Amino acid sequence: GYNFLWLILVITVGEVVILEMVARMGAVTGKGTADLIREKFGVKITTFAMFCLLMANLGTTVAEFAGVAAAGELFGINKVITVPIMAVIMGLFILRSNYKIIEKILIGLSLAALSYVATVFIIKPDWGVILHDTLRPQIQLTSDYIVSILAVIGTTITPWAIFYLQASVADKGVSMENYRDTRLDVTVGSAWGNVISAFIIIVTATTLFKVGIRVEDAKDAAMALAPLAGEASTILFALGLLGASLLAVSVLPLSTTYAVCEAFGFERGLNRSFREAPVFYGSFIGIIVFSVLIVLIPGMPLFQMMILSQSLNAILLPVILILVLRLANDKAVMGKYRNTRLTNILAISITTLIVAVTVILLLEPLLNII
């Protein structure tokens, strides 16, 4: 039902605080997260952090190709056809084409998610019930509920976004003198994404949950848009799913290889040849091939794969957050732009929440026995 709207509120605050923090680090230092971790904590900690990042990013890349497969299956196209073709197309686009153009096309496809906003005002849910369930949620200590909490956290505050955003801010040459626009961009962008998430929850709760329909695959999820688009709801949902999945696929493998190469001093960059940067290109191709092969395993449950991969994101996230928090509070690194007390309280709170939920998940079988 509306049971996760409270979590969207919490996660919105957490995401804004954490991403603003790493954007500020990029503006102050002119360096990426991986670079700072290596300089401050040494090779062993860097290796562990990169392992966590790689595991989380591999899981998420698999999930995004699962999204591509699910979008194709809405039109009756087997994943054996859609996934390899899209993998090759996206790989060639990223390596050979103008990324900015691809980004605009994919963001355009992702705008289909706005249809959830329109649907809410068509179906006219009971806003009193929504407010009540948001402020007084029925939290359950079951494995399904806990895994879902982790999945919502892991799909919102992602390890890859931390590394990608800071590197992007540093590469753009943003300084604290012109940081204001970047902070506004990060804040509004983070919050708006979660507003869409809230509308998705409201639409599915008011339509599918109300009549007892369990979402087991993409076709079930598409039904939530039927009040707005009727028979075209499948097309609308597929466009949104495909656009969002391909947008992430175009960023994730690249951000992973940039971070790993940055951390260990390997040559990197699309402006270099394969001979000049073999680790960079080899890692990029390896991540895509591995993800495609996992998704193509016969009988692989696509929706469950998406959920579990995002849960893994959340479980590994505290490792990165603890390192980022230490950097953001280091006077030698940040000078007068260190975290404020409020920023630390909020960031530590979200980190503690993730750790607590993970511990509860591990102890849940024991709690049931007791």
Side-chain angles (χ1 to χ4, degrees):
Y2 305 119
N3 216 356
F4 271 16
L5 286 173
W6 71 270
L7 185 58
I8 297 297
L9 285 177
V10 173
I11 290 304
T12 300
V13 175
E15 185 181 12
V16 168
V17 168
I18 290 165
L19 293 188
E20 187 283 326
M21 183 168 60
V22 297
R24 181 166 22 95
M25 281 202 297
V28 171
T29 66
K31 296 177 180 179
T33 314
D35 216 353
L36 289 178
I37 289 174
R38 187 190 71 246
E39 288 182 7
K40 193 66 184 177
F41 302 110
V43 175
K44 289 183 180 179
I45 297 295
T46 302
T47 302
F48 181 59
M50 289 304 102
F51 173 76
C52 291
L53 176 68
L54 183 60
M55 290 300 99
N57 284 8
L58 272 175
T60 306
T61 307
V62 169
E64 301 308 339
F65 276 115
V68 172
E73 288 183 353
L74 282 169
F75 299 108
I77 306 173
N78 195 290
K79 64 183 181 181
V80 176
I81 298 172
T82 54
V83 174
I85 289 175
M86 286 300 176
V88 171
I89 290 173
M90 292 309 300
L92 291 174
F93 266 144
I94 295 163
L95 296 176
R96 301 292 181 188
S97 300
N98 187 322
Y99 173 74
K100 291 294 181 184
I101 295 174
I102 304 165
E103 186 180 51
K104 288 175 182 176
I105 294 170
L106 296 177
I107 288 175
L109 287 174
S110 300
L111 288 176
L114 289 172
S115 55
Y116 285 99
V117 179
T119 305
V120 163
F121 293 102
I122 291 171
I123 59 180
K124 298 177 181 177
D126 188 328
W127 291 102
V129 173
I130 291 171
L131 182 62
H132 175 274
D133 289 359
T134 302
L135 299 179
R136 298 186 64 182
Q138 296 178 1
I139 297 174
Q140 306 162 23
L141 293 180
T142 64
S143 58
D144 282 349
Y145 190 89
I146 297 165
V147 166
S148 297
I149 288 178
L150 288 171
V152 173
I153 296 171
T155 199
T156 307
I157 308 173
T158 60
W160 71 264
I162 290 171
F163 285 83
Y164 179 77
L165 177 61
Q166 185 168 333
S168 175
V169 170
D171 287 346
K172 289 175 183 175
V174 176
S175 65
M176 290 309 294
E177 286 71 31
N178 56 7
Y179 175 66
R180 184 178 175 182
D181 288 344
T182 298
R183 181 172 56 196
L184 181 64
D185 183 22
V186 170
T187 302
V188 174
S190 301
W192 178 244
N194 290 307
V195 168
I196 296 296
S197 296
F199 274 99
I200 290 172
I201 289 174
I202 292 169
V203 169
T204 52
T206 309
T207 56
L208 307 182
F209 180 79
K210 192 174 182 179
V211 293
I213 297 174
R214 288 177 57 87
V215 177
E216 302 286 355
D217 56 29
K219 289 181 180 178
D220 294 334
M223 289 171 61
L225 294 175
L228 169 69
E231 294 181 0
S233 59
T234 298
I235 297 173
L236 199 58
F237 181 82
L239 286 175
L241 182 59
L242 184 64
S245 298
L246 291 180
L247 182 59
V249 163
S250 70
V251 173
L252 266 163
L254 207 55
S255 68
T256 309
T257 53
Y258 264 107
V260 172
C261 291
E262 177 185 284
F264 298 112
F266 294 116
E267 292 289 348
R268 62 190 187 276
L270 296 174
N271 59 331
R272 301 184 186 278
S273 67
F274 190 93
R275 183 172 294 180
E276 292 173 320
V279 174
F280 175 79
Y281 284 102
S283 301
F284 175 79
I285 295 169
I287 290 170
I288 290 180
V289 170
F290 174 83
S291 302
V292 168
L293 291 176
I294 294 296
V295 172
L296 292 182
I297 294 174
M300 184 63 73
L302 298 179
F303 260 43
Q304 288 83 343
M305 186 188 300
M306 294 180 208
I307 292 170
L308 291 176
S309 68
Q310 303 313 306
S311 300
L312 177 65
N313 254 358
I315 292 169
L316 296 174
L317 182 61
V319 174
I320 307 300
L321 289 183
I322 290 169
L323 295 176
V324 166
L325 269 165
R326 288 189 61 182
L327 288 168
N329 284 285
D330 193 319
K331 190 174 182 179
V333 175
M334 297 295 289
K336 66 178 181 179
Y337 297 109
R338 287 179 297 170
N339 280 359
T340 63
R341 179 176 293 182
L342 178 60
T343 298
N344 280 331
I345 290 172
L346 293 173
I348 292 170
S349 297
I350 195 70
T351 305
T352 304
L353 171 65
I354 298 168
V355 173
V357 174
T358 303
V359 170
I360 292 171
L361 177 64
L362 296 175
L363 295 179
E364 189 266 340
L366 184 61
L367 293 174
N368 283 341
I369 293 174
I370 295 173

